Amino acid sequence: MSASGGTKAIVAALAANLAIAVAKFVAFLFSGSSSMLAESVHSLADSGNQGLLLLGGKKAQREATPQHPFGYGRERYIYAFLVSIVLFSVGGMFAIYEGYEKIKDPHPIDAWYWPVGVLVFAIIAESFSFRTAIKESNLIRGSLTWTQFVRRAKAPELPVVLLEDLGALVGLVLALGGVGLALLTGDGVWDGIGTLCIGILLIAIAIVLAAETKSLLLGESAGTEDVKRIEAAVVDGETVTRLIHMRTLHLGPEELLVAAKIAVQHDESAGEVANAINAAEARIRAAVPIARVIYLEPDIYKETATSTGTSQAKTPDADDH
């Protein structure tokens, strides 16, 4: 669900940004507004970012190989991280440079109706894209707040599109404010100030995206609810009597690795233990379908087994990365 919803949101954002980028650049050519130039580059960068997300999703679908036995699911995280770099460099830094130049050497805006008209059109188009991202996110967000959703989501596409669209809408309002004040006062400095604010906004969003995708690249555990489901599924109370310790790791947004040491009855035969492990794996997959790679190690439980700090209860949760 998250993958298909993410793709739908990406395509909607890509279509909107391509149309907006062309309109903004035309408005810049007729008006000379630096806000329009910064916004056109911003929309062009966003279009490239959506292309990167689609490419990452495509590459992540490749089958596992001997060199990459756990597959390519993390490619989606890599391309999401590239998005933050593009947003910082192409979007944010360019806007700051352009705003500084306009403040240093201000000039009036020509043909004011072009930038104003295009900005209004862009706000409407971005609103539809943002609405699509919100609608698709709500399908998987559950009871999480928006901040929690952005921080805890294992699939990077929807949080990236949400933040990009939000940044685009705020940036458009800033650009409209800068152009409006420049027209009202006759002072082009306001256009430069609006451009500068757009650059600061884009850099702030890029830093947030970089921090979140970096955490995913480093490797995050399963969410709290999935960990509880796995813990409940492992023990059958007969052959498997206890979970000694466990580690989980996302190999990709929809693929989870589970490694655990489980306590079994000391008088069980090898065949009975093997059957118990197979049954436990089946229960885990039924409880958490994305748990596709499972390694269970049988052991005899001793009271000192958790004294080494390997208890699952002490496992850091990556939800609040």
Side-chain angles (χ1 to χ4, degrees), residues 34 94-106 192-193 195-196:
S34 65
F94 177 82
I96 286 180
Y97 169 78
E98 185 64 24
Y100 169 77
E101 288 294 319
K102 185 61 179 285
I103 292 173
K104 187 173 70 172
D105 183 25
I193 292 174
T195 307
L196 200 63

Side-chain angles (χ1 to χ4, degrees), residues 225-238:
E225 293 302 317
D226 282 345
V227 168
K228 290 179 179 178
R229 293 189 189 101
I230 294 171
E231 290 176 338
V234 169
V235 179
D236 63 3
E238 297 176 2

Side-chain angles (χ1 to χ4, degrees), residues 32 41 46 59 109 136 150 230 320:
V41 173
D46 279 354
K59 285 183 170 293
I109 296 176
E136 297 302 321
V150 170
I230 294 171
D320 296 320

Side-chain angles (χ1 to χ4, degrees), residues 60-219:
Q61 294 174 3
R62 289 179 292 171
E63 295 293 330
T65 64
Q67 187 177 7
H68 297 92
F70 292 113
Y72 294 85
R74 287 196 183 183
E75 289 244 25
R76 288 166 68 179
Y77 301 152
I78 293 172
Y79 281 87
F81 188 77
L82 290 176
V83 165
S84 67
I85 296 174
V86 172
L87 195 62
F88 179 89
S89 57
V90 179
M93 295 304 294
F94 177 82
I96 286 180
Y97 169 78
E98 185 64 24
Y100 169 77
E101 288 294 319
K102 185 61 179 285
I103 292 173
K104 187 173 70 172
D105 183 25
H107 55 270
I109 296 176
D110 301 321
W112 63 268
Y113 42 84
W114 275 101
V116 172
V118 167
L119 285 172
V120 172
F121 161 73
I123 289 173
I124 295 172
E126 284 287 0
S127 296
F128 278 107
S129 174
F130 193 38
R131 178 178 176 272
T132 300
I134 290 174
K135 182 179 178 182
E136 297 302 321
S137 297
N138 279 333
L139 296 176
I140 59 174
R141 184 168 64 95
S143 60
L144 297 176
T145 66
W146 286 108
T147 300
Q148 290 172 333
F149 175 71
V150 170
R151 299 197 66 191
R152 298 184 183 184
K154 306 304 181 184
E157 292 83 2
L158 283 173
V160 168
V161 173
L162 278 169
L163 287 176
E164 277 193 345
D165 284 351
L166 177 61
L169 282 171
V170 176
L172 288 167
V173 172
L174 291 172
L176 188 60
V179 170
L181 287 172
L183 292 172
L184 289 173
T185 63
D187 188 351
V189 168
W190 287 107
D191 187 29
I193 292 174
T195 307
L196 200 63
C197 291
I198 292 169
I200 294 171
L201 170 70
L202 295 181
I203 287 176
I205 291 175
I207 290 172
V208 172
L209 286 177
E212 298 306 315
T213 51
K214 174 192 171 186
S215 180
L216 292 169
L217 278 170
L218 288 174

Side-chain angles (χ1 to χ4, degrees), residues 244-267:
I244 299 175
H245 64 78
M246 180 176 73
R247 293 291 184 270
T248 60
L249 178 69
H250 269 273
L251 301 174
E254 283 90 33
E255 187 170 17
L256 186 66
L257 181 149
V258 178
K261 178 172 284 190
I262 57 175
V264 298
Q265 298 285 3
H266 63 83
D267 55 350

